[in-house]
Amino acid sequence: MDSEEASGTEQFRQTEALLSAAMAFAVCGDALTREDLSGPGRLERLMEAQGALMAAAGPGHRVRFTDLLERLTGSEAGSMTGLMPEWADPGSLDGLRFLDVDGVAPGDAFDFRLEAERVIRAAKKVGRFAGRVTFTALDDEHSQESVFSAIKGPYYERHRTNLIEHPVVLERETATAVSDRPVLADLEFPTRAIDFYRPVPQHARYRGWWFPCPACRWPMKVSVARVDGREQGKAWCLYRWHEQTGASYLFQPTEAEPPVLHPAFECHVPRGRQGELWTGCVPEVPQAQPVEGHKALVRSVWRSTCVPGLPELRLHRVLNHHLKGTGWRAELWVDGDRIDLHVINDNGPRRKIAFPADFKDYTFVNHLVDKLDMDAGDKGDAKWLVVPDHRDAQVPTLDPVCRRYGMRAITASGFVDEVLAAIREGRA
């Protein structure tokens, strides 16, 4: 094994160890928040998490049960500092917590787990890393691959669009319900996809109410804490960018009445091309919705399908708006999702296809770099890797990697400009 292969193996070994740790904390969160678990049941789950941490750390490194318990509450909740051996020290993850004081994985920590799992699975599939720890994801049946498999077929685009645009649905139609949400049965999902919708998660409930994020419409996390001697409620989206753009609200705790949200700060929507493609928060204060009668996508499906799907749909619609009258049109999820998008002109004697693109929304750019290397670019032969505009800082890292595989990395705004300029100048 040469030094480069050895370095790659060590990198995957660390990623796998941190993934196992993230999943162990997810087990802890499950133990702390599930209402159907008894005391012995919670203890059993916590001991399972301790075993997963020790397996990830390897021989010679002990993770004491008290060490784990100390990281479930207070200022050390979810902290990895000092928990894992030195070789697995997540120096690049300083400040990242895999669990909050309410037993819920914060947005970036949840993203880390989903992304790291994709990298490790891809590395094992191509024989780059055998792995020492065998794990089963808590929600493996809701992985991105499982979602796409469940909705594949002639109605794939319709089903995927519905998952993106309707992360919360009504369980059934009622005479008293006034809602713009569809009834689950009316969406006509395949049986496997119906199971993606579950009761509104506990972390999003407040005395029988929940609040939709104005950006993605999924239930926001709710927490109540004592601030300066008074109870203060807070609601925010678990996708960090939605929270950062305005999906963060305060409220006064109530007893019987639904709480009223107030923006934690002013929301600003950009102008120009970025405004056209904007899928962040908008200046709309969510109203409390009753938990009863609603079902929401499980978190992993929401994060891997709904969140990145919103900018994909917007990109598709913006392109088609600007392509009117040119003979070109944008197509989405081409050939059963072989690629995410391309533009096509079939008005002449020969059909023209250009700009095959893959859309990616990764929080940790190193995971996307690893995935590109495992796939030797894009498995569907996309030539453009498009990231949301708010991931623009990732492009300088991604573009050199993409070029090794005959691809280019670009933001969504840049991609629209590139497509329109090429068509206008006859280069498409």
Side-chain angles (χ1 to χ4, degrees):
M1 180 184 297
D2 59 31
S3 59
E4 186 175 341
E5 288 180 347
S7 175
T9 299
E10 281 303 304
Q11 178 183 330
F12 291 136
R13 182 184 175 215
Q14 183 188 64
T15 299
E16 184 187 51
L18 294 175
L19 169 60
S20 297
M23 293 179 68
F25 274 109
V27 171
C28 291
D30 183 61
L32 295 173
T33 58
R34 270 180 51 184
E35 293 184 328
D36 61 335
L37 282 180
S38 61
R42 295 185 198 281
L43 179 61
E44 183 178 345
R45 293 291 276 160
L46 293 175
M47 292 178 69
E48 179 185 337
Q50 180 196 16
L53 283 170
M54 293 185 67
H61 185 86
R62 186 183 176 202
V63 178
R64 297 180 303 171
F65 194 60
T66 53
D67 292 334
L68 178 59
L69 293 180
E70 288 172 357
R71 286 165 171 78
L72 300 184
T73 58
S75 61
E76 291 301 305
S79 173
M80 287 284 292
T81 305
L83 196 63
M84 299 293 282
E86 189 173 327
W87 62 264
D89 178 52
S92 61
L93 300 179
D94 284 345
L96 183 69
R97 300 297 180 94
F98 286 108
L99 208 65
D100 66 16
V101 293
D102 298 317
V104 178
D108 285 357
F110 191 82
D111 291 357
F112 179 91
R113 181 162 68 90
L114 289 184
E115 295 171 12
E117 186 172 344
R118 290 176 198 157
V119 170
I120 294 301
R121 290 190 186 280
K124 290 180 177 180
K125 188 178 295 184
V126 299
R128 288 281 300 274
F129 180 63
R132 186 169 49 82
V133 178
T134 301
F135 60 84
T136 301
L138 286 177
D139 44 11
D140 190 54
E141 70 273 21
H142 301 135
S143 68
Q144 189 176 47
E145 294 76 13
S146 298
V147 172
F148 295 163
S149 173
I151 61 175
K152 69 180 180 181
Y155 303 107
Y156 178 87
E157 184 173 344
R158 187 186 78 186
H159 291 326
R160 187 165 172 183
T161 300
N162 279 333
L163 286 174
I164 294 166
E165 295 186 331
H166 304 297
V168 180
V169 296
L170 296 174
E171 286 190 73
R172 61 186 66 85
E173 193 167 2
T174 63
T176 57
V178 178
S179 175
D180 60 350
R181 297 179 185 87
V183 175
L184 178 56
D186 291 345
L187 295 178
E188 299 181 332
F189 282 123
T191 303
R192 284 173 59 198
I194 291 174
D195 191 50
F196 299 155
Y197 289 92
R198 301 287 179 86
V200 173
Q202 290 293 330
H203 66 250
R205 301 182 182 195
Y206 178 78
R207 299 187 185 279
W209 303 97
W210 66 276
F211 304 95
C213 168
C216 64
R217 299 169 64 85
W218 198 65
M220 294 189 290
K221 185 178 186 301
V222 176
S223 184
V224 176
R226 187 164 290 278
V227 179
D228 297 329
R230 296 177 55 196
E231 282 196 331
Q232 176 72 69
K234 182 180 179 182
W236 69 100
C237 184
L238 283 171
Y239 182 59
R240 182 179 290 275
W241 185 63
H242 290 172
E243 178 193 4
Q244 290 173 335
T245 56
S248 178
Y249 305 89
L250 304 176
F251 65 88
Q252 290 300 316
T254 60
E255 290 294 332
E257 295 298 313
V260 177
L261 299 186
H262 302 278
F265 54 89
E266 192 174 355
C267 171
H268 295 283
V269 177
R271 299 176 181 272
R273 181 75 75 217
Q274 289 195 345
E276 279 189 307
L277 293 165
W278 183 256
T279 55
C281 191
V282 294
E284 167 192 316
V285 179
Q287 304 296 306
Q289 305 292 314
V291 168
E292 186 178 355
H294 286 95
K295 283 193 170 185
L297 287 175
V298 295
R299 187 175 178 182
S300 56
V301 176
W302 161 74
R303 178 58 186 91
S304 64
T305 304
C306 177
V307 170
L310 289 169
E312 280 185 273
L313 287 175
R314 184 64 58 84
L315 176 62
H316 176 243
R317 290 163 183 170
V318 167
L319 272 173
N320 276 331
H321 171 74
H322 288 288
L323 290 174
K324 285 180 181 177
T326 67
W328 291 83
R329 71 179 189 278
E331 288 187 333
L332 195 62
W333 304 318
V334 180
D335 297 336
D337 201 30
R338 177 179 59 82
I339 58 173
D340 288 332
L341 180 145
H342 69 199
V343 293
I344 183 170
N345 186 334
D346 50 15
N347 291 331
R350 291 183 58 192
R351 168 187 266 199
K352 295 180 181 179
I353 296 176
F355 292 95
D358 188 34
F359 193 95
K360 295 294 185 188
D361 178 20
Y362 274 58
T363 294
F364 297 88
V365 69
N366 60 300
H367 289 157
L368 183 48
V369 167
D370 289 341
K371 187 68 165 57
L372 284 166
D373 281 332
M374 294 305 98
D375 294 339
D378 178 66
K379 290 186 290 187
D381 292 327
K383 300 304 178 187
W384 296 84
L385 177 69
V386 183
V387 299
D389 283 342
H390 66 277
R391 304 286 191 198
D392 59 338
Q394 295 182 351
V395 172
T397 299
L398 293 171
D399 197 49
V401 181
C402 285
R403 287 178 183 272
R404 293 204 298 262
Y405 305 108
M407 300 176 68
R408 289 276 309 279
I410 195 168
T411 62
S413 289
F415 184 73
V416 171
D417 291 340
E418 187 77 26
V419 170
L420 297 182
I423 291 174
R424 185 172 59 248
E425 298 164 9
R427 295 185 284 107

